[in-house]
Amino acid sequence: MELRATPTEVKIRSNSDDTESRTIEGYALKFNKRSQPLLNGYFVETLDSRCLDNTDMSNVVATFNHDESKLLGRSGVNLTLEKDKIGLRFKIDLPNTTLANDVLEEVRMGILSQCSFAFTMPDDKADVWERSNEDDAEYKRTVLAIDKLYDVSVVTTPAYEDTNVEVGSRSKQAVEKLKDKSLTKVRELKRQNGLRKLNIQDLKEGY
């Protein structure tokens, strides 16, 4: 499972009579938006606009800081998810619990203002890795498919803006392979340079 955050504002929905409700809303994720550098600056990431086409969103929970013991909602009950051109929009009708009341007040005051999501990816053709032409990352990853969405979470520290990002074993394995390939290329270049130097030396010595 991987965690990502969307630098978007979580807001309290206004009622038709302009009074504040107990509903908070925002975007759980946004398409084609560049992440902050992940894994110590090794790659940046974007979500393709079709990545949710086959995603299982049948049992998604809304939580506080991805803690399932701090439950705010569930899809089909009081959590609504809606995909649009920007990304995946969520709406939570907060229950009358101590946690939900605290979250509502902290959103109202602007103390809590961002969200995150937890997901897994299918095993095949789920992402594309390319060399990055930007200074702060070596590679660019495009997520083409999300297999399952597990939760949307109101968070104090969003993963997309923090170095302590949980990228999951799949991403780590991909990065390790890229590093291995890069190391192999460096070794091959050194070997070729060494052979060229030997050839030059042989020519100088008349061999």
Side-chain angles (χ1 to χ4, degrees):
M1 187 181 298
E2 306 201 19
L3 304 181
R4 296 294 187 275
T6 302
T8 183
E9 188 177 1
V10 179
K11 296 181 178 180
I12 300 174
R13 187 181 183 91
S14 295
N15 290 324
S16 57
D17 59 358
D18 293 329
T19 60
E20 286 186 344
S21 67
R22 293 186 56 82
T23 301
I24 59 174
E25 58 185 3
Y27 279 93
L29 61 89
K30 289 185 176 181
F31 303 132
N32 302 313
K33 186 172 182 63
R34 179 187 182 277
S35 75
Q36 296 293 321
L38 306 176
L39 274 185
N40 297 318
Y42 201 76
F43 73 98
V44 293
E45 183 179 84
T46 59
L47 302 174
D48 186 83
S49 60
R50 296 163 294 180
C51 69
L52 295 178
D53 285 357
N54 298 300
T55 303
D56 179 4
M57 294 188 284
S58 61
N59 188 25
V60 182
V61 293
T63 62
F64 177 63
N65 278 336
H66 293 289
D67 186 341
E68 291 190 359
S69 69
K70 298 178 179 179
L71 195 62
L72 297 173
R74 185 180 295 275
S75 56
V77 183
N78 64 329
L79 168 64
T80 302
L81 300 169
E82 182 179 6
K83 176 185 171 184
D84 60 23
K85 292 181 179 180
I86 298 173
L88 184 66
R89 191 170 184 82
F90 73 88
K91 182 176 68 174
I92 309 169
D93 297 322
L94 292 172
N96 186 20
T97 63
T98 300
L99 171 65
N101 292 337
D102 290 344
V103 167
L104 181 65
E105 179 61 21
E106 289 177 352
V107 170
R108 179 181 291 116
M109 294 181 64
I111 297 171
L112 292 175
S113 62
Q114 294 180 304
C115 60
S116 179
F117 61 100
F119 67 100
T120 54
M121 297 168 59
D123 293 332
D124 188 39
K125 297 180 180 179
D127 54 4
V128 173
W129 293 81
E130 302 171 284
R131 274 284 184 182
S132 174
N133 57 6
E134 300 181 44
D135 294 335
D136 58 351
E138 293 188 50
Y139 287 90
K140 178 177 70 174
R141 180 201 200 194
T142 303
V143 175
L144 302 177
I146 291 176
D147 180 45
K148 182 174 176 58
L149 186 69
Y150 287 87
D151 81 5
V152 296
S153 185
V154 180
V155 294
T156 53
T157 305
Y160 256 17
E161 295 188 337
D162 189 79
T163 54
N164 296 321
V165 57
E166 184 173 331
V167 296
S169 60
R170 178 192 178 92
S171 299
K172 290 177 182 176
Q173 290 170 3
V175 167
E176 289 303 319
K177 287 181 180 179
L178 291 170
K179 287 181 178 179
D180 288 343
K181 286 182 180 179
S182 297
L183 184 58
T184 300
K185 287 181 180 179
V186 169
R187 287 173 176 168
E188 179 62 20
L189 287 172
K190 287 183 178 180
R191 187 184 71 84
Q192 291 175 3
N193 288 335
L195 290 173
R196 279 196 291 270
K197 288 178 181 179
L198 286 174
N199 289 335
I200 291 171
Q201 186 64 29
D202 288 346
L203 288 172
K204 285 181 179 180
E205 295 178 359
Y207 291 103

